[in-house]
Amino acid sequence: MNVWWRTLLTLMRARVMYRRRGPIPPDAVGRIRLRTLPTDIDLLGHMNNGRYASLFDLGRFDLLTRTGIWQTMNERGWYGVVASETVTFRKSLQLWQRFTVESRIIGHDDKAVFQMHRAVVKGEVYAEMILRVRFLRRTGGIVPLEELFDALHRPDTLAPIPQWIQDWAAASALPSTRAEAPSIWP
């Protein structure tokens, strides 16, 4: 339940910042400050690996709101879904430890936007997650990225994604929802 409260607080804060300062560029780094709470901790006494994804969602909500993408998505009946993600851990976050979630849109391919989230303590990366996010219409279908950038009234100024991220996206892709995907173990 605490992630719901954190989500509401994050969205309210992001909306206030958007109204006061206007939209930030799509390639800006968004930052939110958090603290590791008792509900984030696993049996080993550090932040549970699954909780990182939930807290990185807060960074994504903040970034999408402050860039204006969130508002545009709602107005047009679009929503984003995570198509794939990978996370790498360096150090553990401990109970009550303060950290910053840094979030950035790092590029796109022809179908999806790639985002990076980091858990950072005093400038040092503790964990990093890369996501491939697709934008869909509530009425069905994929939102072409050209349409997304047109709706934002912004040019596509994102840098090309690095080759290793392209390779990861291709290697981790599952078949389309229209294709069969039987669960067969070697």
Side-chain angles (χ1 to χ4, degrees):
M1 192 66 188
N2 71 313
V3 177
W4 279 99
W5 290 114
R6 285 173 164 175
T7 301
L8 292 174
L9 291 172
T10 298
L11 287 170
M12 288 181 352
R13 178 186 164 276
R15 286 182 185 144
V16 167
M17 302 230 349
Y18 179 83
R19 283 190 211 115
R20 286 185 183 166
R21 300 181 184 169
I24 62 174
D27 61 349
V29 176
R31 290 178 176 85
I32 59 171
R33 301 246 322 137
L34 298 172
R35 181 186 295 270
T36 308
L37 300 178
T39 52
D40 301 328
I41 301 301
D42 65 16
L43 295 175
L44 300 175
H46 58 207
M47 178 141 34
N48 179 281
N49 65 305
R51 184 62 81 178
Y52 283 87
S54 296
L55 298 180
F56 287 159
D57 276 348
L58 301 178
R60 186 165 44 263
F61 297 151
D62 173 75
L63 185 65
L64 292 177
T65 300
R66 293 180 54 220
T67 58
I69 294 172
W70 185 272
Q71 296 85 321
T72 299
M73 288 170 41
N74 287 331
E75 289 166 4
R76 296 176 185 255
W78 300 343
Y79 62 100
V81 294
V82 174
S84 51
E85 65 186 13
T86 187
V87 62
T88 304
F89 302 99
R90 270 190 76 244
K91 289 186 171 185
S92 296
L93 289 169
Q94 304 301 317
L95 181 61
W96 304 119
Q97 188 169 12
R98 288 185 179 272
F99 65 99
T100 301
V101 171
E102 295 181 349
S103 303
R104 185 170 184 217
I105 298 172
I106 56 173
H108 64 85
D109 61 15
D110 58 333
K111 294 181 183 175
V113 171
F114 292 83
Q115 297 177 347
M116 184 176 286
H117 301 286
R118 293 177 175 164
V120 178
V121 176
K122 297 179 183 174
E124 184 177 4
V125 176
Y126 275 47
E128 182 176 85
M129 178 182 272
I130 298 171
L131 300 107
R132 185 170 179 262
V133 180
R134 296 182 75 174
F135 293 95
L136 306 175
R137 300 177 197 281
R138 295 199 187 282
T139 57
I142 297 170
V143 177
L145 293 181
E146 306 82 42
E147 189 174 344
L148 174 67
F149 286 108
D150 286 345
L152 293 170
H153 306 295
R154 297 191 185 172
D156 174 5
T157 57
L158 297 174
I161 55 173
Q163 186 61 48
W164 73 269
I165 294 178
Q166 294 176 36
D167 295 342
W168 162 77
S172 64
L174 290 173
S176 158
T177 55
R178 294 185 183 120
E180 291 186 20
S183 178
I184 301 171
W185 295 93

